[in-house]
Every structure is written in C-alpha cells, then in structure tokens.
C-alpha cells in the first residue's frame, strides 16, 4: 500500500504529520512544496531520511531558542529587585555620618547596567546637595546613603521601583531600568570633617 502526502499547496516551512495504516509515522519539516511518499508495508522506510533530517532540524531549533534566551538573560542579569549597597571605601575615622534630615553633599556617577553613563557630578565638578530622607531624590538614594561617613564611597544598585519606575526618565533612562551609582559623601550639614563641627 502506498500513501502519498501532497504539500505543494502548503505554506513553505510547514510541519506535516505522516500516518500509515492509521498509525503514527512521524513529522517532517517542509522547506518547499514536494511529494512525500511512504510505504505502509515497509514501516516508513522511504521517509526515514526525511525524519532524521526533521529530528536534527528540531534539535537545532531548540538549541537556537535556548541560545536566544541565554543572551536575553545575560543582558538583563545586571538588574536587581532590591537595593544593593556596596562600600568601596570607608575612612578609618567616621565621626560624621549622614542621618535622615541632614543636608548632605554628594558626588556621584550614574550608569545603566550596560555601563552607559547618564549623569555625573564629577564631570561638572559640582556635587549635589539635598536633604536626606525627605524625598528630594529617588528612594534608592534616600535609603542607600543613610549612615554613610563623610569621605566614604558606596556603590548603589537601585531597582526600578526605587528609581524612576516603569516610566523611566527619558531620554537617558528607559522604563524599568536598574540604576548603578558610584557615590561619595562630601559633607554633612556643610561640614567636611569632625574638625569643622568643632568650629
């Protein structure tokens, strides 16, 4: 018994399923319209090479998809869901610390996780001043700079929910972006050292 499966009118790149005498024979991926002939009495022998190619192609497709997923995951691997604080430098003497309500002066460099710098007070040689914990800056800063010593340097990785959220801050900061800040506390309430507080 010979069963012919015609796919000349099918869309190029279609999958077909071959059945012989009511039993499953296999699936094949069709690149162009052609006839696939199978013999029921030889258990799909004529389609064996087609099936082998199909299995090899399917395996390659799965590997390709996994590779794409890996690339996308790697690209997003710098993102965080919670605030991360890393101390890069801390002076031996820490007599002046930043507390909620203090007016602080901070140098910073802000980057996206891919390394793109979107702002830097170092380039302007002009540290930013604000009242800590009062909402004058993003929440990641209000939380990440608490307890910082004058002269201390911290690296803050700030999730979008503590940064600019899903809307971002166009054009430099996209929505949902994790922000990376290198920060340095320059002064607290106008004082740069313990000696200043004694004056």
């Amino acid at each position: 018994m010979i069963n012919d499966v015609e796919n000349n009118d099918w869309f190029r790149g279609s999958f077909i399923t071959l059945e012989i005498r009511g039993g499953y024979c296999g699936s094949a991926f069709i690149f162009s319209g052609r006839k696939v002939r199978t013999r029921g009495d030889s258990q799909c022998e004529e389609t064996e090479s087609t099936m082998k190619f199909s299995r090899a192609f399917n395996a390659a497709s799965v590997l390709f998809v996994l590779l794409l997923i890996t690339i996308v995951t790697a690209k997003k691997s710098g993102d965080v869901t919670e605030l991360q604080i890393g101390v890069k430098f801390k002076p031996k003497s820490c007599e002046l610390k930043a507390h909620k309500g203090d007016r602080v002066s901070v140098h910073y460099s802000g980057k996206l996780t891919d390394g793109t710098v979107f702002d830097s007070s170092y380039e302007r040689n002009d540290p930013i001043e604000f009242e800590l914990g009062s909402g004058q800056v993003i929440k990641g800063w209000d939380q990440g700079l608490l307890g910082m010593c004058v002269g201390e340097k911290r690296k803050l990785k700030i999730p979008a929910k503590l940064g600019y959220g899903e809307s971002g801050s166009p054009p430099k900061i996209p929505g949902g972006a994790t922000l990376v800040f290198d920060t340095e506390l320059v002064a607290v309430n106008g004082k740069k050292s313990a000696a200043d507080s004694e004056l």
Side-chain angles (χ1 to χ4, degrees):
M1 174 181 176
I2 297 176
N3 295 321
D4 292 336
V5 181
E6 295 280 2
N7 70 304
N8 291 322
D9 297 329
W10 289 18
F11 180 78
R12 181 171 298 188
S14 299
F15 277 100
I16 65 171
T17 298
L18 307 177
E19 292 187 5
I20 306 298
R21 293 177 178 171
Y24 176 72
C25 179
S27 298
F29 191 87
I30 305 303
F31 283 100
S32 60
R34 70 174 185 174
K35 179 188 288 184
V36 177
R37 171 165 291 189
T38 66
R39 288 186 183 276
D41 56 358
S42 60
Q43 296 298 311
C44 309
E45 288 179 2
E46 291 187 19
T47 62
E48 184 177 353
S49 60
T50 303
M51 294 298 101
K52 287 181 179 178
F53 172 76
S54 175
R55 286 191 291 271
F57 180 84
N58 290 339
S61 298
V62 171
L63 288 175
F64 179 71
V65 171
L66 290 176
L67 178 61
L68 285 179
I69 292 173
T70 301
I71 292 173
V72 172
T73 302
K75 186 177 180 180
K76 301 291 289 181
S77 64
D79 288 344
V80 296
T81 57
E82 300 297 332
L83 175 64
Q84 294 182 3
I85 303 172
V87 178
K88 298 176 64 178
F89 172 78
K90 192 168 186 176
K92 293 180 179 180
S93 176
C94 185
E95 298 178 10
L96 277 179
K97 290 185 178 181
H99 301 94
K100 184 176 180 179
D102 287 339
R103 186 155 190 83
V104 296
S105 178
V106 182
H107 256 314
Y108 67 92
S109 176
K111 299 178 290 185
L112 301 177
T113 54
D114 65 0
T116 302
V117 176
F118 57 81
D119 193 15
S120 174
S121 68
Y122 289 105
E123 293 180 0
R124 298 187 297 272
N125 194 28
D126 184 22
I128 184 175
E129 289 191 8
F130 61 95
E131 184 179 314
L132 188 61
S134 64
Q136 294 180 2
V137 292
I138 59 176
K139 291 180 180 179
W141 269 44
D142 272 340
Q143 297 176 19
L145 302 180
L146 287 172
M148 197 171 181
C149 307
V150 170
E152 183 177 340
K153 296 180 180 180
R154 289 183 180 181
K155 184 169 190 173
L156 307 178
K157 293 190 77 172
I158 302 174
K161 65 182 180 181
L162 298 180
Y164 293 98
E166 293 305 314
S167 59
S169 181
K172 293 185 177 182
I173 302 175
T178 289
L179 308 177
V180 182
F181 284 96
D182 288 311
T183 63
E184 178 182 1
L185 183 59
V186 177
V188 174
N189 297 322
K191 303 176 179 63
K192 295 184 179 182
S193 67
D196 291 338
S197 62
E198 294 174 359
L199 297 177

